[in-house]
């Protein structure tokens, strides 16, 4: 009996469409969120993450509708976030059909937000989204889509967020994101050893071996990726079979 | 078959409703005791904090109605926090009484493992189970919780291990409960819900 390592596709959504950011400049359309969700649900994804990356007010308005449309397609857990600033934002996301909500920038500005959400909805529903950049000698937390430095040490901030009630850490390496050079295993292992909650590694996934490394060297509980699944570079089923062959416990769909 | 789903004010009811409706069942949300008194079968889903759950039931006068339904032998399925609420008490909310269908105390998961226990895990079968009929022994179920009922509770039919051995599936008479989320456990979870529906007819 083993807790399986999870494979989690991520949908970055802008104005109701799944997009892929190209070096923080242009956005490329990758499809309809509900259609992709249905595909991943069928292919054996263990969970789905939907993030609102829209900068505009109009984009935000459609996000709750996107969550509803995606949730209807799933019989696996759904995490949603992006731009969650207050308790009511979290409630709206959960009401729309998400099981968990991610917080990032607003939680750095006002850590009490994590406590409020955890008290209301339980720690299992609160995920700290932690975007990290490597500095000279350590790792620093960044906010606003990876644009602004916070001065916070990533591991210290993760530990504080957990004390406040975060039940999971979605850890993104900004250095690796979009580079296809593999997960930052050293960063993931560091955070996984620091916090007593599950860590989802994100940023840099390209090959099957990258996933194997983040589960073994990186001690990740789950691994998240977006474009390599959207473009059908890799199927989730094939990835899981590869991991199982290498001794990583995964849930194989029958 | 019409299922009465207890709405205590929190929790992700749409996914539970959608899962049952996908299996051909009808559902209604119960917010008042009369609805529970008239129910043919009750589903008690829950997420969040134990005290918010029992307070939500109390504020809607549903606690007594649930106990009456249990005593009258109405089938009840508890999900996640709904399983925990069937016990006498929980370490999560000392001094707060649960429904008391079972006398044990719900405990926090130990600190030597990651908590919350989040993700897909397997079960250890202890006795014949109605809910798990036709499901392979090595199947995975989705869990998301920090507290759990001890597997030593006599009604336990399947346990899961995460630091401690805890009750993952409970069956006793017309009472049934699962610590995992069947509505989030893919096709395997759907089979659990279908088994519950079939046990009603």
């Amino acid at each position: 009996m083993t807790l399986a390592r999870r494979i989690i596709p991520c949908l970055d959504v802008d104005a109701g469409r799944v997009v892929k950011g190209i070096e923080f400049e242009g956005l490329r359309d990758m499809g309809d969120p509900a259609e992709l969700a249905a595909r991943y649900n069928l292919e054996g994804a263990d969970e789905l993450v939907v993030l609102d990356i829209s900068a505009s007010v109009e984009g935000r308005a459609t996000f709750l509708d996107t969550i509803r449309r995606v949730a209807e397609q799933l019989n696996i857990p759904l995490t949603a976030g992006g731009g969650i600033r207050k308790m009511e934002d979290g409630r709206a996301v959960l009401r729309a059909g998400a099981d968990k909500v991610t917080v990032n920038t607003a939680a750095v500005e006002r850590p009490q937000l994590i406590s409020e959400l955890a008290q209301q909805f339980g720690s299992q529903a609160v995920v700290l989204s932690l975007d990290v950049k490597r500095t000279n000698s350590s790792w620093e937390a960044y906010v606003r889509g990876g644009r602004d430095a916070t001065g916070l040490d990533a591991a210290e901030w993760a530990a504080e967020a957990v004390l406040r009630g975060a039940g999971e850490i979605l850890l993104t390496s900004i250095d690796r994101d979009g580079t296809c050079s593999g997960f930052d295993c050293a960063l993931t292992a560091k955070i996984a050893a620091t916090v007593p909650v599950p860590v989802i590694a994100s940023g840099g996934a390209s090959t099957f071996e990258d996933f194997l490394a983040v589960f073994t060297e990186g001690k990740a509980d789950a691994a998240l990726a977006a474009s390599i699944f959207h473009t059908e570079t890799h199927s989730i089923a094939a990835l899981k079979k590869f991991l199982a062959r290498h001794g990583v416990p995964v849930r194989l769909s029958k | 078959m019409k299922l009465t789903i207890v709405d205590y004010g929190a929790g992700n009811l749409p996914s539970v409703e959608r899962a049952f409706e996908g299996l051909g069942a009808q559902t209604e949300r119960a917010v008042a005791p009369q609805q529970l008194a008239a129910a043919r079968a009750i589903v008690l889903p829950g997420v969040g904090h134990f005290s918010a759950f029992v307070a939500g039931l109390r504020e809607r006068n549903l606690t007594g109605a649930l106990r009456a339904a249990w005593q009258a032998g109405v089938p009840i399925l508890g999900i996640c926090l709904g399983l925990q609420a069937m016990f006498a008490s929980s370490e999560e909310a000392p001094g707060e009484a649960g429904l008391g269908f079972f006398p044990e105390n719900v405990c926090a998961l130990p600190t030597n493992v990651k908590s919350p226990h989040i993700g897909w895990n397997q079960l250890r079968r202890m006795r014949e189970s109605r809910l798990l009929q036709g499901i392979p022994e090595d199947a995975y179920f989705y869990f998301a919780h920090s507290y759990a009922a001890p597997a030593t509770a006599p009604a336990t039919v399947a346990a899961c291990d995460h630091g401690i051995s805890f009750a993952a599936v409970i069956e006793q008479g017309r009472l049934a409960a699962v610590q995992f989320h069947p509505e989030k456990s893919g096709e395997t979870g759907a089979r659990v819900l279908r088994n519950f529906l079939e046990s009603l007819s």
Side-chain angles (χ1 to χ4, degrees), chain A residues 43-55:
Chain A
E43 282 182 4
D46 294 307
E47 202 168 319
L48 194 73
V49 170
V50 188
L51 295 177
D52 181 11
I53 63 156
S54 59

Side-chain angles (χ1 to χ4, degrees), chain A residues 1-6 41 45-47 68 71-78 91 94-95 97-100 118-125 162 166-168 191-193 195-199 219 221 249-252 254, chain B residues 9-12 14-15 18-19 46-49 52 80 92 111 113-125 136 138-146 159-162 165 181-188 190:
Chain A
M1 193 189 312
T2 335
L3 186 59
R5 303 293 182 272
R6 286 170 282 159
N41 193 69
D46 294 307
E47 202 168 319
R68 256 175 241 114
E72 275 172 20
Q73 302 298 325
L74 300 179
N75 56 18
I76 56 172
L78 173 64
R91 186 190 303 278
L94 297 172
R95 282 256 169 94
D99 302 287
K100 313 179 206 178
Q119 269 158 30
Q120 190 69 31
F121 307 110
S123 286
Q124 86 297 330
V162 169
E168 236 173 338
I191 301 297
V195 295
V197 303
V199 173
K219 312 284 180 210
D221 298 279
V250 288
R251 178 183 68 109
L252 295 172
K254 296 286 180 303
Chain B
N12 184 359
S15 57
R18 201 165 42 237
V47 296
H49 202 279
C80 192
E92 191 175 16
T111 53
V113 288
K114 295 215 168 184
S115 178
H117 173 220
I118 292 183
W120 298 76
N121 213 331
Q122 294 169 309
L123 308 182
R124 189 156 41 79
R125 312 287 173 97
D138 60 353
Y140 280 94
F141 301 84
Y142 182 77
F143 291 86
H145 62 119
S146 308
C160 179
D161 296 332
H162 188 68
S165 198
H181 285 275
E183 78 281 13
K184 298 283 165 190
S185 295
E187 293 306 314
T188 308

Side-chain angles (χ1 to χ4, degrees), chain B residues 9-21:
Chain B
N12 184 359
L13 294 191
S15 57
V16 176
E17 290 167 336
R18 201 165 42 237
F20 275 118
E21 283 160 11

Side-chain angles (χ1 to χ4, degrees), chain A residues 22-178:
Chain A
I22 301 159
E23 310 253 322
F24 284 98
E25 309 238 337
L27 293 176
R28 196 165 94 204
D29 189 294
M30 305 292 287
D32 175 64
E35 278 175 27
L36 278 170
R39 192 182 103 203
Y40 294 139
N41 193 69
L42 205 66
E43 282 182 4
D46 294 307
E47 202 168 319
L48 194 73
V49 170
V50 188
L51 295 177
D52 181 11
I53 63 156
S54 59
S56 65
V57 178
E58 301 77 48
R60 293 233 172 274
T62 59
F63 188 58
L64 290 179
D65 182 55
T66 298
I67 295 174
R68 256 175 241 114
R69 291 177 54 231
V70 165
E72 275 172 20
Q73 302 298 325
L74 300 179
N75 56 18
I76 56 172
L78 173 64
T79 299
I84 303 296
R85 305 216 49 93
K86 51 188 193 296
M87 168 93 113
E88 286 316 307
D89 298 337
R91 186 190 303 278
V93 159
L94 297 172
R95 282 256 169 94
D99 302 287
K100 313 179 206 178
V101 59
T102 70
V103 290
N104 188 342
T105 307
V108 168
E109 290 167 358
R110 198 174 67 84
Q112 183 67 18
L113 175 64
I114 297 172
S115 327
E116 290 167 10
L117 288 166
Q119 269 158 30
Q120 190 69 31
F121 307 110
S123 286
Q124 86 297 330
V126 184
V127 181
L128 175 74
S129 178
L130 177 56
D131 294 343
V132 178
K133 208 179 259 190
R134 195 185 282 258
T135 55
N136 294 334
S137 55
S138 67
W139 284 288
E140 185 176 354
Y142 274 64
V143 292
R144 287 186 191 79
R147 286 187 293 275
D148 296 350
T150 62
L152 294 172
D153 175 78
E156 283 173 23
W157 168 230
E160 185 192 341
V162 169
L163 282 177
R164 288 183 175 274
E168 236 173 338
I169 308 284
L170 167 50
L171 177 66
T172 302
S173 162
I174 300 170
D175 306 306
R176 299 295 177 90
D177 207 20

Side-chain angles (χ1 to χ4, degrees), chain B residues 62 102-103 112 126 131 141 145 163 174 192-193:
Chain B
L62 298 174
F102 306 109
N112 63 337
M126 295 166 72
L131 291 180
F141 301 84
H145 62 119
R174 307 312 306 269
V192 171
L193 298 179

